[in-house]
Amino acid sequence: MDDVLVSEKLVKKFGGVVALDGVDVEVRSGEVAVLLGPNGSGKSTFLKISAGVVEPTSGRLLVFGREPYRDVEVRGRTSYMPQDAGLYSSLTGFENYLFYAAMQEVDRGRALEILEMVKDELELDEWFFKRKVGTYSGGMKRKTSLAVALGSDPDLLILDEPTTGLDPASRRVFWRLIERLKRTGKTVVLATHLFEDAEYLADSIVVMYRGRVVARGSPEELKRKTGYRYAVDVELSSEPSKALIEKLKLPGTKMIPSGGFRLTIIGNSIDFVSEVEERLRSVRVVSFSMRRLSLGDAYFLFTGVRLE
């Protein structure tokens, strides 16, 4: 497969703030690539450069072999859904859709064909056609914004936090549609801070923190790269003392702070679980459970911070 998007030593500065610091990314044709990180990690800036909205300070980014911030023609093959909906509140969702399709020089008949294909998937009901966007809920705006992004039938879809603020049912609507787009050969670059989205959708994940790429790979590859396989989640009846925390630091394990009265201890062998149980006998334990290492655990191990 060919590369659809490639960045090389990409740097973007806003005054004295470095938003991107030497970012190298490759996105293959037909894959869903996820940029994973908190606000301020550089995800949105990277997507804006990819969409041609912002120019880099140095380095370069190529989409289909061209720089989108300099080449208007290549931008015709991409579509960008920003984190803020980017919709006109005085228009209906349908009117927004037609307006943006016309801006992309999409024939009205073709735009209506595309809308017919996606309206049921996105659950675009009467509200989309008759109510002004200013009256929409957050979920309605996200669905409308995605419909607008699909109106030009792009080869590359760039989505910034598409499911933020959505309920679980609405998030699954987005998941199913993105899966279908992938099956039709579309390429998707998606930024999120939600581990569940990344785990479910990603062929490849780019872990970002403070403007840099700190790790990359599939969800399972990222977990393997940590060197750990299992985790024990413990909830205590009171805040753990420093002495207890020291007592639970077993050889070959690592502790992840979970906040409050909770602790997470990770290890590579399942054998450490019984030892943790033994060392907790002197305190009151509310809950104790073992699981496989999560993508959230891996993010902490790569960055040293918890991403909620």
Side-chain angles (χ1 to χ4, degrees):
M1 292 188 295
D2 297 328
D3 288 331
V4 166
L5 184 152
V6 178
S7 71
E8 301 167 346
K9 297 180 172 59
L10 196 67
V11 173
K12 181 60 183 179
K13 298 178 181 179
F14 295 98
V17 177
V18 180
L20 295 174
D21 189 6
V23 171
D24 295 327
V25 171
E26 295 181 3
V27 179
R28 308 289 281 171
S29 176
E31 78 172 357
V32 177
V34 171
L35 308 182
L36 179 64
N39 291 336
S41 61
K43 307 187 310 295
S44 293
T45 300
F46 183 89
L47 294 189
K48 288 176 182 176
I49 295 172
S50 303
V53 177
V54 170
E55 285 197 37
T57 303
S58 63
R60 66 174 186 167
L61 184 146
L62 302 177
V63 172
F64 299 109
R66 301 179 181 181
E67 294 173 285
Y69 39 85
R70 292 180 181 151
D71 192 321
V72 175
E73 185 177 337
V74 76
R75 291 207 296 266
R77 297 183 64 185
T78 70
S79 196
Y80 170 50
M81 176 181 169
Q83 191 168 356
D84 56 356
L87 303 170
Y88 291 98
S89 60
S90 61
L91 302 178
T92 66
F94 181 56
E95 289 167 340
N96 270 277
Y97 175 85
L98 291 178
F99 171 77
Y100 280 107
M103 290 288 289
Q104 289 278 76
E105 299 183 349
V106 179
D107 176 78
R108 180 185 173 94
R110 176 58 180 153
L112 292 174
E113 284 179 11
I114 295 169
L115 182 60
E116 187 64 29
M117 287 189 292
V118 302
K119 68 181 181 67
D120 290 339
E121 283 182 292
L122 285 175
E123 299 175 350
L124 304 178
D125 296 327
E126 185 177 351
W127 56 266
F128 175 80
F129 295 93
K130 295 188 176 181
R131 287 172 50 187
K132 296 185 186 300
V133 167
T135 70
Y136 288 4
S137 67
M140 290 174 178
K141 288 179 180 178
R142 302 309 282 167
K143 290 176 180 179
T144 300
S145 190
L146 182 53
V148 166
L150 294 171
S152 62
D153 192 23
D155 296 316
L156 170 62
L157 190 61
I158 301 168
L159 308 175
D160 195 354
E161 300 280 0
T163 66
T164 296
L166 298 184
D167 60 69
S170 294
R171 286 172 65 198
R172 287 179 175 81
V173 167
F174 274 60
W175 291 357
R176 289 193 295 269
L177 192 143
I178 291 169
E179 283 185 307
R180 181 183 66 76
L181 292 173
K182 179 185 171 183
R183 289 195 299 271
T184 62
K186 305 294 186 184
T187 304
V188 179
V189 179
L190 180 156
T192 188
H193 64 279
L194 301 173
F195 294 120
E196 192 177 9
D197 284 9
E199 187 100 49
Y200 187 87
L201 292 170
D203 295 304
S204 64
I205 295 176
V206 178
V207 177
M208 298 189 70
Y209 185 59
R210 293 184 175 176
R212 296 184 177 183
V213 175
V214 296
R216 71 190 79 214
S218 70
E220 290 307 314
E221 286 171 342
L222 289 175
K223 293 173 196 176
R224 286 198 297 271
K225 286 179 181 180
T226 67
Y228 297 94
R229 298 174 61 195
Y230 303 101
V232 169
D233 295 316
V234 180
E235 184 178 358
L236 305 173
S237 61
S238 60
E239 187 173 354
S241 65
K242 290 183 179 179
L244 178 62
I245 289 174
E246 287 299 317
K247 187 178 180 181
L248 292 173
K249 290 181 178 179
L250 306 174
T253 69
K254 193 174 185 71
M255 188 174 295
I256 298 178
S258 299
F261 301 167
R262 295 173 296 159
L263 296 170
T264 296
I265 304 164
I266 59 174
N268 190 40
S269 169
I270 203 169
D271 297 337
F272 80 99
V273 177
S274 58
E275 183 63 27
V276 171
E277 280 187 296
E278 180 63 31
R279 297 193 180 197
L280 287 170
R281 287 189 181 279
S282 61
V283 297
R284 184 182 173 193
V285 176
V286 176
S287 65
F288 183 99
S289 60
M290 190 196 77
R291 57 176 172 78
R292 292 276 185 176
L293 192 81
S294 72
L295 192 56
D297 299 329
Y299 187 89
F300 175 84
L301 292 169
F302 288 126
T303 65
V305 297
R306 288 193 66 84
L307 178 56
E308 299 297 344

